[in-house]
Amino acid sequence: MSNDAQTNPAEAPLTFDNERARARFLDDLRAVVGDEHLLVSSDLRASYETDWTRRWTGSSIAVARPANTQEVSAVLATCQRHHIACVAQGGRTGLVGGSVPSGNQLVLTVERLNDIGAVDFDSGELTVGAGTTLGALQRALSQHGWEFGVDLASRDSATIGGMIATNAGGAHVVQHGQMREQVVALEVVLADGTVMGGASDVAKDNAGYDLSALMVGSEGTLGVITSARLRLVPHYRHRVLSLVGVDTLTTGLELLGHVRRSTHAVAAAEFFDHAAMQLVEQYLAMTRPVRPSPWYVLIECASDTDPTEAMAAGLTGTPGVDDDAVAVALDSPGRQILWSFRESITEAIAQIGVAHKLDVGVAPRLLDQFAHEVRTAVHSSFAHSSVLLFGHLAEGNVHVNVINVPPTDATVDDLVLRLVGSMGGTIAAEHGVGRAKRDWLHLARSPAELHVMRALKSALDPENLLNPDVLFA
Ligand code: MLT
Ligand code: ZN
């Protein structure tokens, strides 16, 4: 599927031609991180060579676990000296094969860069190491009256560095934006080991290009993020969540519109189909608290004044939404139960097979049309497949999960991504491009955009040593 527009921006990195060169490389790395933090044997490397989906797997020369920015810098300088490519890893919760090594490459995990700085109460900012998990950050903030604006079901493994490198979104984008909106400044190590930037606490900085923003969503291809200055959001005293069964996503969007007009406090707007609901009911051994419907919509409101009445006013204004279609949770345990129907979908799918996970986006008004067309197209080519649709309603972000199609058969990926392209949508709304979508990047980016992306890659990583197998075909 390659064409001229999709070739790599630089020559492939040199690889080992003999064992002695490999041994010298490993000795140099040992001198940087210490024997204990250079994992060479296959059993120690194994968990770093397969991603969460199990669809993407590879092998590496070794896994380096640097302790700080200086060691990351020395590891990358060593890679450059030996002309060995390096794949940076966070919590390995990515879903597009973006941090899986392929052969003669080093894995650099940032898991030891997990310092959490003090909260700056005045600015509502703090600095964390790239290997800090989202869960650890949330726990550290819980006593301080601040929260982090992005939340994900994989919070206990996903790292802040990985979330920035993939511009993660999650459930609260509608209120607080993606990772891009949470980043104040970054410290990044470039391909040759140069340390760039710093997690500065200067609140406003408009001196030329926003180099931190450039790193957000760069998937480890332009530099390795080592620490981040993050913007926090207030902890809201009131939170209310509704699960509503609807016949169409258009009705779900109307409902969301009504709620948005009655309150500015909408914090999440999610959807999932009946197949996903049935699967999760089995997985959790729980029964949904609303009548069966083709679709389910979760709307959460959060603010300092109680949004319950405004939420109720919004819900009652939508035709077709009657009482047995609605469940409302006001307290934390109740909200956790309702959220579990949505947040457990990914895990429930992983229990029944290796899915083709196609994270795409269309204009919200096209959601019903897309849902109909994608199901029809996949089923007509793969009669035994199952299609589950869920995602983020306000952004038109659909996670198309197809099971019972062999993981290596990319025909289904091609079919879904071309359909999205034909509807003017994006092939990568939230999870990034990784290896999974690199052959289809041209469906979402113009030749001019691809040219600039390649020029940036060549300028910052001329030897193509940083995560060379992702993004570009
Ligand atoms: C979600 O929204 O649940 C995540 O992006 C995970 C997924 O798509 O499986
Ligand atoms: Zn998602």
Side-chain angles (χ1 to χ4, degrees):
M1 201 161 292
S2 286
N3 59 32
D4 283 351
Q6 293 175 273
T7 51
N8 271 341
E11 290 291 300
L14 300 177
T15 55
F16 291 112
D17 52 9
N18 62 48
E19 278 306 310
R20 208 176 298 160
R22 182 191 185 89
R24 274 200 302 270
F25 177 59
L26 294 176
D27 282 347
D28 285 358
L29 288 172
R30 252 180 226 109
V32 174
V33 296
D35 197 34
E36 190 191 341
H37 296 295
L38 187 69
L39 314 181
V40 180
S41 69
S42 57
D43 54 329
L44 291 177
R45 293 188 333 250
S47 65
Y48 297 85
E49 294 175 342
T50 298
D51 82 351
W52 196 89
T53 66
R54 291 172 288 138
R55 188 175 172 205
W56 307 103
T57 187
S59 64
S60 65
I61 301 166
V63 178
R65 303 176 66 241
N68 52 43
T69 303
Q70 290 68 36
E71 288 190 9
V72 172
S73 164
V75 167
L76 290 186
T78 305
C79 286
Q80 190 177 60
R81 233 174 24 253
H82 290 263
H83 305 290
I84 299 300
C86 179
V87 176
Q89 275 188 6
R92 295 188 299 285
T93 56
L95 300 171
V96 289
S99 68
V100 173
S102 60
N104 283 324
Q105 300 179 338
L106 179 77
V107 169
L108 185 164
T109 170
V110 295
E111 62 197 10
R112 293 176 69 211
L113 278 70
N114 55 8
D115 285 347
I116 302 181
V119 175
D120 181 332
F121 286 97
D122 299 329
S123 64
E125 295 178 2
L126 94 171
T127 300
V128 298
T132 305
T133 64
L134 173 61
L137 173 61
Q138 289 173 333
R139 285 188 291 280
L141 293 175
S142 60
Q143 308 301 321
H144 293 297
W146 292 102
E147 286 182 7
F148 189 57
V150 170
D151 192 21
L152 311 170
S154 55
R155 56 186 72 82
D156 288 323
S157 310
T159 61
I160 295 299
M163 289 169 66
I164 294 170
T166 55
N167 189 24
H172 296 143
V173 172
V174 66
Q175 191 171 38
H176 300 302
Q178 297 172 268
M179 282 304 281
R180 192 179 301 287
E181 281 77 32
Q182 323 308 320
V183 169
V184 178
L186 296 179
E187 179 188 75
V188 177
V189 182
L190 302 177
D192 64 356
T194 304
V195 180
M196 183 181 79
S200 158
D201 56 1
V202 173
K204 257 177 140 177
D205 186 351
N206 209 7
Y209 300 140
D210 187 343
L211 297 174
S212 294
L214 180 62
M215 295 293 158
V216 181
S218 64
E219 302 191 27
T221 62
L222 300 180
V224 176
I225 297 161
T226 45
S227 72
R229 181 82 177 165
L230 299 172
R231 188 169 289 121
L232 303 174
V233 298
H235 167 75
Y236 294 117
R237 283 188 296 139
H238 300 276
R239 216 166 255 279
V240 50
L241 179 63
S242 299
L243 174 69
V244 187
V246 289
D247 288 341
T248 64
L249 288 175
T250 305
T251 305
L253 285 163
E254 272 173 37
L255 192 70
L256 174 61
H258 285 156
V259 176
R260 274 177 143 171
R261 282 190 292 280
S262 46
T263 171
H264 294 302
V266 172
E270 303 281 297
F271 73 91
F272 49 107
D273 66 8
H274 190 57
M277 176 61 104
Q278 285 180 307
L279 182 67
V280 166
E281 285 183 285
Q282 271 175 26
Y283 175 67
L284 297 176
M286 280 168 45
T287 307
R288 63 182 178 276
V290 294
R291 67 165 152 77
S293 299
W295 296 99
Y296 302 88
V297 166
L298 266 176
I299 299 181
E300 186 173 62
C301 291
S303 79
D304 269 342
T305 52
D306 189 351
T308 310
E309 271 185 34
M311 164 91 93
L315 294 182
T316 49
T318 308
V321 176
D322 39 48
D323 282 355
D324 62 351
V326 181
V328 179
L330 303 176
D331 60 5
S332 175
R335 287 197 307 272
Q336 265 176 30
I337 289 171
L338 291 191
W339 265 118
S340 68
F341 288 101
R342 167 66 181 88
E343 288 201 325
S344 306
I345 297 172
T346 298
E347 274 180 40
I349 291 171
Q351 295 295 309
I352 57 168
V354 176
H356 288 251
K357 299 182 86 67
L358 297 155
D359 155 52
V360 301
V362 295
R365 71 188 156 76
L366 298 178
L367 277 171
D368 280 315
Q369 182 192 337
F370 174 72
H372 172 71
E373 291 188 17
V374 79
R375 283 172 174 150
T376 309
V378 173
H379 285 141
S380 64
S381 294
F382 300 91
H384 300 293
S385 65
S386 303
V387 179
L388 295 103
L389 302 177
F390 58 100
H392 312 286
L393 184 66
E395 295 94 46
N397 181 182
V398 189
H399 300 314
V400 180
N401 277 233
V402 183
I403 44 182
N404 296 334
V405 172
T408 49
D409 186 347
T411 332
V412 71
D413 306 56
D414 189 56
L415 191 152
V416 173
L417 298 177
R418 283 187 190 281
L419 173 63
V420 171
S422 74
M423 294 176 69
T426 179
I427 60 144
E430 179 179 54
H431 300 163
V433 174
R435 292 162 177 240
K437 313 256 186 80
R438 62 187 177 187
D439 286 331
W440 294 273
L441 185 59
H442 61 286
L443 294 176
R445 290 284 172 257
S446 68
E449 289 169 327
L450 288 171
H451 174 76
V452 173
M453 285 169 72
R454 281 197 206 90
L456 288 167
K457 172 69 173 165
S458 297
L460 290 181
D461 181 18
E463 289 190 51
N464 200 21
L465 295 177
L466 294 180
N467 215 3
D469 297 314
V470 308
L471 214 50
F472 304 103

